[in-house]
Amino acid sequence: MSEARAPNKLQRSLMRLDEAPAFMRGFVQNIILRRAVPFTGTAGVKFVSLTPERVEVRLANEHRVQNHIGGVHASAMNLLAETATGMVVGMNVRDDCTPLAKELSMAFKKRAMGGLKAVATLTAEQRAAMRASDKGEVQVSVTVTDEAGVEPVECVFTWAWVPSSRPAKN
């Protein structure tokens, strides 16, 4: 039987959204998260679903994120996948730790058609490891699909977490 876990700082912040009227929650959530990670607002990333197990984000194929052939730029695809993986890690990392992107790999497979969706997930074992230690790393599963349901890019993200503050050296 798994033990209940108190929400971390990010989860507690998002839980405060329950105080807002239901019709405004998504809008307010996007404003709050875009302020926390400003570049997501610049690109227009939309936070669709946020749980400690799964995060879904979307990016419309708009001029500000397009490449020279009218598709979503490779850097914007990276931002989308990094945002999804970073947010799911952020929903699980202990309050006394800081998450850090450590490594990424992206393989471009097909031309993206339209907007994109990224879904990142963590297993129960990965989440437990994050609770058990103040330092470690995890490879986060993320799937990026376009409006046609095709995966134009395959991504692998490794995130680390470290203590937020280290004791002073003597």
Side-chain angles (χ1 to χ4, degrees):
M1 186 157 108
S2 65
E3 70 180 60
R5 176 178 174 227
N8 71 3
K9 184 178 178 181
L10 177 57
Q11 290 177 42
R12 290 190 305 272
S13 295
L14 292 171
M15 287 166 57
R16 284 189 218 123
L17 290 171
D18 291 341
E19 299 167 14
F23 73 93
M24 291 182 63
R25 288 183 193 144
F27 176 75
V28 174
Q29 172 182 284
N30 278 295
I31 289 173
I32 291 168
L33 294 172
R34 287 175 177 175
R35 284 188 180 159
V37 185
F39 192 55
T40 61
T42 301
V45 172
K46 299 234 183 313
F47 296 86
V48 177
S49 171
L50 296 152
T51 70
E53 299 83 14
R54 181 184 180 277
V55 168
E56 179 181 333
V57 293
R58 292 181 183 254
L59 184 63
N61 183 4
E62 297 175 340
H63 180 72
R64 63 182 159 184
V65 296
Q66 287 179 340
N67 59 22
H68 63 288
I69 58 173
V72 175
H73 194 281
S75 294
M77 289 184 196
N78 176 47
L79 172 67
L80 192 67
E82 188 245 351
T83 300
T85 59
M87 193 60 64
V88 79
V89 169
M91 298 276 294
N92 287 281
V93 72
R94 293 173 12 179
D95 286 342
D96 62 341
C97 297
T98 300
L100 301 166
K102 182 174 181 181
E103 196 172 294
L104 76 97
S105 170
M106 296 190 85
F108 299 93
K109 300 296 186 179
K110 301 209 181 275
R111 181 178 177 185
M113 303 304 289
L116 299 175
K117 169 177 78 171
V119 177
T121 57
L122 288 175
T123 66
E125 293 78 18
Q126 289 172 314
R127 295 177 62 233
M130 295 177 80
R131 288 190 301 269
S133 177
D134 68 350
K135 186 176 181 181
E137 67 180 56
V138 63
Q139 193 172 79
V140 183
S141 175
V142 60
T143 303
V144 177
T145 53
D146 66 13
E147 289 178 8
V150 174
E151 290 182 50
V153 62
E154 292 176 357
C155 312
V156 177
F157 271 83
T158 301
W159 283 82
W161 64 94
V162 297
S164 294
S165 60
R166 298 185 183 264
K169 293 183 180 179
N170 292 332

